Amino acid sequence: MLFPVIRNNNRNNWLDTAFNDFFETDWMPRTASTAPAVNVKESEKAFTMEVAAPGLKKEYCKVNINNEGNLVVKIEHKAEHEDKQPEAEQFHYVRREFSYTNYEQTYILPDEVDKEHISAKVEDGVLTVELPKLAPEPEKKMDRVIEIG
């Protein structure tokens, strides 16, 4: 179970409901239109988070654990453009939306995530963050004699 608000109209799925209830908070709203798409997969051994953004490169990304133990994902890219067109081809932008990208999201991690072994990579415009789960602790045996007083 991980990450911020996920909306799903199918509330019959208990996993989706538990997932949303754990991470859905008023103080951590999901940004709307400019946020990249995020997938979260869970296996027996790990959670895998995939953040998709066209043209995403390793140098644009920062992933860290903050002082509160939360995962922080930052993506920042500012493209500097110089207009070096011949005078006959000079133009100006009426609307320009894709020259600067800035995304930052903080994710509350479940207690079962091994924060010491989180890894990340960028490949084909997708930032993949691998969040391994802690090994389950073995059950303690409680075999002892109770003295009757």
Side-chain angles (χ1 to χ4, degrees):
M1 319 289 185
L2 115 85
F3 306 101
V5 181
I6 295 175
R7 301 281 182 221
N8 185 346
N9 294 331
N10 180 6
R11 291 294 181 182
N12 295 329
N13 186 332
W14 71 268
L15 182 61
D16 286 343
T17 303
F19 187 84
N20 289 338
D21 289 347
F22 187 76
F23 292 101
E24 200 166 300
T25 62
D26 291 334
W27 58 270
M28 192 173 62
R30 182 182 175 118
T31 55
S33 61
T34 59
V38 178
N39 292 333
V40 179
K41 300 183 286 189
E42 180 181 9
S43 70
E44 189 176 307
K45 296 184 178 190
F47 294 98
T48 303
M49 175 182 170
E50 301 167 326
V51 181
L56 184 65
K57 294 181 182 177
K58 176 181 172 180
E59 54 269 17
Y60 304 160
C61 303
K62 291 183 182 179
V63 179
N64 67 291
I65 301 291
N66 66 14
N67 290 334
E68 290 81 35
N70 300 323
L71 181 74
V72 180
V73 176
K74 295 180 185 179
I75 300 172
E76 184 172 87
H77 174 63
K78 184 174 183 179
E80 298 293 335
H81 295 285
E82 258 186 67
D83 289 331
K84 290 187 177 180
Q85 296 120 0
E87 206 171 301
E89 296 179 26
Q90 287 289 329
F91 61 88
H92 71 279
Y93 286 96
V94 176
R95 181 175 177 149
R96 187 174 184 172
E97 293 183 344
F98 59 87
S99 64
Y100 183 78
T101 304
N102 189 18
Y103 169 78
E104 181 174 344
Q105 183 69 54
T106 301
Y107 299 93
I108 299 171
L109 297 174
D111 293 336
E112 63 193 301
V113 170
D114 182 354
K115 295 177 184 175
E116 296 296 319
H117 294 96
I118 295 172
S119 62
K121 67 178 181 176
V122 174
E123 189 174 323
D124 298 328
V126 177
L127 169 65
T128 302
V129 182
E130 191 71 23
L131 303 149
K133 293 180 180 180
L134 292 167
E137 292 185 29
E139 252 184 69
K140 294 180 182 178
K141 305 263 181 181
M142 296 297 290
D143 188 18
R144 67 184 186 113
V145 176
I146 311 276
E147 199 172 308
I148 301 174

